[in-house]
């Protein structure tokens, strides 16, 4: 297989003064993959991306692009294009000049530049705006101008740092689809930084979930959603995320909120404290269930999100839109046994069946 567009990070550590921003980061991003770096604010996503771009150097570790060690190579030697949250367009240049800029820097012959600029502009649907300046464009058009400037050089690797976050909600959803189509049609690798788990879930072939400068899990959206490795990931993925409740695992029995649930699993040798995870859509209202008190129900249009308290624990339940309940009502609930996740209460690590 061709190595173009492959990115490998091995044992990356990065400190800013006494603060450790990245701890032992390992990544292997495949050619033509759409790979998301997901995590909360300050978790090290941008630092990782800047390191791949050559805007930052690691204290330890190796970075390879297309099979070549680029750990200390300058950005210009890496055949990458980067798109930032703020677009970083040149305000005094027209759209045409902005898109042409990277080609001019590469000393591409003048007569080749115009057709390539038009071609790039067409791919993102702004070829009718080439004469305008960035200040005369909407946010979405500026964003596409930044994309056109990135694709005009035809690099094999795109680095994108929250490129949609300045767009309003509707335009963000629309542009998300276009971005994915564009990446596929160009046959390029995209590394995409976001703190929005829905964006990562919908766009990425695979993702790495960062917390506090460490990667907690790498996997497909499906793997990360359905088999989170840790409480941290479980609590971050999903909207709303998984409910987490303290429980006791004894043999193959799970004791939670005064009830005993028989699990289909091999028994544990000794009883242990666990955290039980269950998604809001895997809880049923059932007359024989655990009594919970309705705190508030939120209308989500196609469903209703019930905020219930079992004792002092808040549990979110996605219910049918036509359930009619009042705040303070007692709502008995049961958990779908096959959808229960278990985590070691001490370490936060997933317990397999
Ligand atoms: N140049 C710097 N000097 C000192 N600390 C820095 C520097 N750059 C980043 N950091 C720190 O490193 C940590 C990771 O920053 P980074 O920008 O990678 O986070 P992020 O995951 O991209 O967050 P966000 O979602 O808010 O953009 C943060 O705590 C940040 O304050
Ligand atoms: Mg960032």
């Amino acid at each position: 297989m061709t190595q173009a567009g492959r990115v490998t990070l091995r044992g990356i550590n990065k400190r800013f003064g006494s603060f450790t921003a990245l701890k032992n980061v390992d990544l292997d991003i495949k050619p033509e993959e759409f790979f998301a770096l997901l995590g909360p604010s300050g978790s090290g996503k941008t630092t990782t991306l800047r390191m791949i771009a050559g805007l930052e150097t690691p204290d330890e570790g190796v970075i390879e692009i297309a099979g070549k060690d680029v750990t200390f190579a300058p950005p210009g030697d890496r055949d990458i294009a980067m798109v930032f949250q703020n677009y970083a367009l040149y305000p005094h240049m027209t759209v045409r000049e902005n898109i042409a800029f990277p080609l001019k820097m590469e000393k591409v012959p003048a007569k080749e530049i115009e057709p390539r600029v038009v071609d790039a502009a067409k791919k993102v649907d702004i070829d009718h705006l080439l004469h305008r300046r960035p200040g005369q464009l909407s946010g979405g058009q500026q964003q596409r101008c930044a994309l056109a400037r990135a694709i005009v050089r035809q690099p094999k690797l795109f680095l994108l740092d929250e490129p949609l976050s300045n767009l309003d909600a509707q335009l963000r959803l629309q542009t998300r689809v276009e971005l994915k189509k564009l990446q596929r049609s160009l046959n390029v690798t995209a590394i995409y930084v976001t703190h929005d788990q829905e964006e990562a879930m919908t766009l990425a072939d695979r993702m790495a979930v960062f917390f506090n400068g460490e990667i907690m899990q790498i996997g497909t959206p499906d793997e990360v959603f359905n088999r989170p490795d840790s409480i941290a990931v479980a609590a971050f993925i999903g909207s709303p995320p998984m409910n987490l409740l303290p429980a006791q695992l004894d043999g193959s029995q799970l004791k939670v909120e005064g009830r005993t649930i028989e699990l289909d699993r091999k028994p544990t040798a000794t009883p242990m404290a666990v955290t039980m995870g269950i998604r809001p859509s895997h809880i049923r209202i059932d007359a024989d269930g655990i009594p919970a008190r309705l705190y508030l129900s939120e209308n989500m249009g196609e469903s209703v999100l019930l905020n219930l308290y079992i004792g002092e624990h808040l549990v979110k339940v996605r219910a049918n839109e036509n359930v009619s309940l009042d705040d303070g009502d007692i709502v008995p609930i049961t958990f779908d046994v096959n959808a229960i996740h278990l985590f070691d209460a001490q370490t936060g690590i997933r317990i397999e069946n």
Side-chain angles (χ1 to χ4, degrees):
M1 196 190 347
T2 165
Q3 288 292 302
R6 179 180 286 277
V7 179
T8 311
L9 276 66
R10 275 198 304 271
I12 299 292
N13 286 295
K14 178 67 180 176
R15 288 174 290 274
F16 294 111
S18 62
F19 176 76
T20 302
L22 292 176
K23 273 169 260 175
N24 251 313
V25 167
D26 289 313
L27 280 175
D28 186 12
I29 299 167
K30 300 183 187 100
E32 301 183 19
E33 202 167 27
F34 203 118
F35 196 96
L37 309 181
L38 174 68
S41 185
S43 57
K45 309 177 297 289
T46 295
T47 305
T48 303
L49 198 74
R50 284 173 56 82
M51 221 157 271
I52 298 168
L55 301 170
E56 207 83 73
T57 46
D59 294 312
E60 279 107 25
V62 176
I63 301 171
E64 288 177 6
I65 297 178
K68 199 174 109 215
D69 186 338
V70 295
T71 313
F72 300 104
D77 289 356
R78 298 189 182 205
D79 191 27
I80 49 164
M82 197 153 173
V83 180
F84 300 93
Q85 177 175 1
N86 59 13
Y87 317 139
L89 298 170
Y90 302 107
H92 57 286
M93 293 184 193
T94 63
V95 169
R96 172 179 277 110
E97 288 162 345
N98 264 286
I99 301 172
F101 189 77
L103 299 180
K104 289 213 173 107
M105 295 304 284
E106 277 188 1
K107 307 221 161 28
V108 172
K111 65 175 193 314
E112 276 178 40
I113 290 182
E114 175 66 11
R116 281 176 66 179
V117 167
V118 172
D119 184 52
K122 273 195 180 135
K123 286 200 173 103
V124 295
D125 209 17
I126 53 163
D127 47 317
H128 57 298
L129 301 171
L130 288 170
H131 58 284
R132 298 231 194 131
R133 288 179 206 283
Q136 302 167 311
L137 301 177
S138 71
Q141 291 164 340
Q142 289 182 36
Q143 201 273 342
R144 283 183 276 158
C145 180
L147 274 177
R149 190 180 53 184
I151 66 182
V152 76
R153 280 179 40 246
Q154 301 164 350
K156 286 312 253 177
L157 177 56
F158 282 79
L159 307 180
L160 304 117
D161 194 348
E162 313 241 8
L164 306 183
S165 57
N166 282 345
L167 305 180
D168 66 47
Q170 203 172 350
L171 194 56
R172 197 156 59 220
L173 294 188
Q174 184 190 329
T175 314
R176 191 166 87 190
V177 174
E178 285 165 13
L179 194 62
K180 177 91 184 182
K181 292 293 265 184
L182 184 68
Q183 182 260 347
R184 280 199 189 148
S185 71
L186 295 172
N187 301 318
V188 293
T189 308
I191 307 179
Y192 188 99
V193 165
T194 181
H195 63 269
D196 180 341
Q197 56 90 27
E198 186 183 298
E199 222 167 79
M201 290 290 294
T202 52
L203 278 170
D205 299 313
R206 287 193 307 148
M207 65 175 96
V209 189
F210 282 73
F211 283 92
N212 299 323
E214 284 184 272
I215 294 179
M216 300 293 289
Q217 186 166 3
I218 297 176
T220 63
D222 189 55
E223 286 164 353
V224 172
F225 188 82
N226 291 316
R227 289 173 42 82
D229 280 351
S230 61
I231 291 178
V233 174
F236 192 69
I237 305 282
S239 173
M242 197 178 275
N243 295 295
L244 296 165
L245 291 167
Q248 187 82 16
L249 182 62
D250 190 352
S252 61
Q253 291 185 329
L254 185 67
K255 297 188 169 129
V256 57
E257 303 296 342
R259 297 287 175 112
T260 299
I261 300 171
E262 194 64 46
L263 300 177
D264 180 19
R265 53 166 293 129
K266 70 171 197 299
T268 44
T270 48
M272 66 184 291
V274 297
T275 298
M276 180 196 119
I278 184 100
R279 295 211 177 270
S281 49
H282 291 138
I283 302 179
R284 313 262 155 248
I285 300 174
D286 174 344
D288 297 330
I290 303 167
R293 187 171 36 81
L294 181 61
Y295 179 64
L296 184 76
S297 82
E298 297 171 273
N299 187 345
M300 312 290 282
E302 290 179 359
S303 64
V304 173
L305 200 57
L306 304 176
N307 292 265
L308 302 168
Y309 274 99
I310 307 178
E312 62 187 14
H313 299 116
L314 177 66
V315 175
K316 288 180 183 274
V317 178
R318 195 179 294 285
N320 199 294
E321 80 213 81
N322 47 36
V323 354
S324 117
L325 292 166
D326 293 318
D327 294 356
D329 279 359
I330 298 299
V331 184
I333 55 169
T334 55
F335 309 122
D336 289 353
V337 175
N338 295 328
I340 290 175
H341 303 253
L342 295 179
F343 304 95
D344 186 317
Q346 253 70 60
T347 62
I349 304 293
R350 180 183 190 86
I351 303 169
E352 296 299 345
N353 278 343

